[in-house]
Amino acid sequence: MAEVPDELIKLEQCAEEERAKLAGLGGEEYEAQLRRWREAAEAVHAAVTAFAAATGTSRFEVEKSVKEALRHAHEDPAVE
């Protein structure tokens, strides 16, 4: 598979950050944050789908690679 672009990793990270912000929210705040998370997740899915189509790779493999790359970036102490 082709190397995953940094843009896809950043989009995934943004979506994960939006998801994490749901913790402890309720009511309207929760609903507003849920919309932000869904929008970020939709952006990730669209970008992954486009990249998979452009490279002839399965969408599943691209998404898996993006998640692995994000996880490895957080394991590197130099990143944070």
Side-chain angles (χ1 to χ4, degrees), residues 3 8 12 15 26 33 35 39-40 43-45 51 54-56 62 68 70 76 78:
E3 184 175 331
L8 292 179
E12 178 69 21
Q33 185 59 40
R35 281 190 297 278
E39 289 170 3
V44 172
H45 289 284
F51 181 76
T55 60
V62 174
E68 287 175 357
L70 181 59
D76 182 356

Side-chain angles (χ1 to χ4, degrees), residues 25-36:
L25 297 180
E28 290 181 25
E29 288 180 328
Y30 178 85
E31 292 301 321
Q33 185 59 40
L34 183 61
R35 281 190 297 278
R36 286 190 287 274

Side-chain angles (χ1 to χ4, degrees), residues 36-61:
R36 286 190 287 274
W37 173 46
R38 285 181 178 159
E39 289 170 3
E42 288 172 7
V44 172
H45 289 284
V48 165
T49 299
F51 181 76
T55 60
T57 309
S58 82
R59 187 186 179 294
F60 172 79
E61 288 299 321

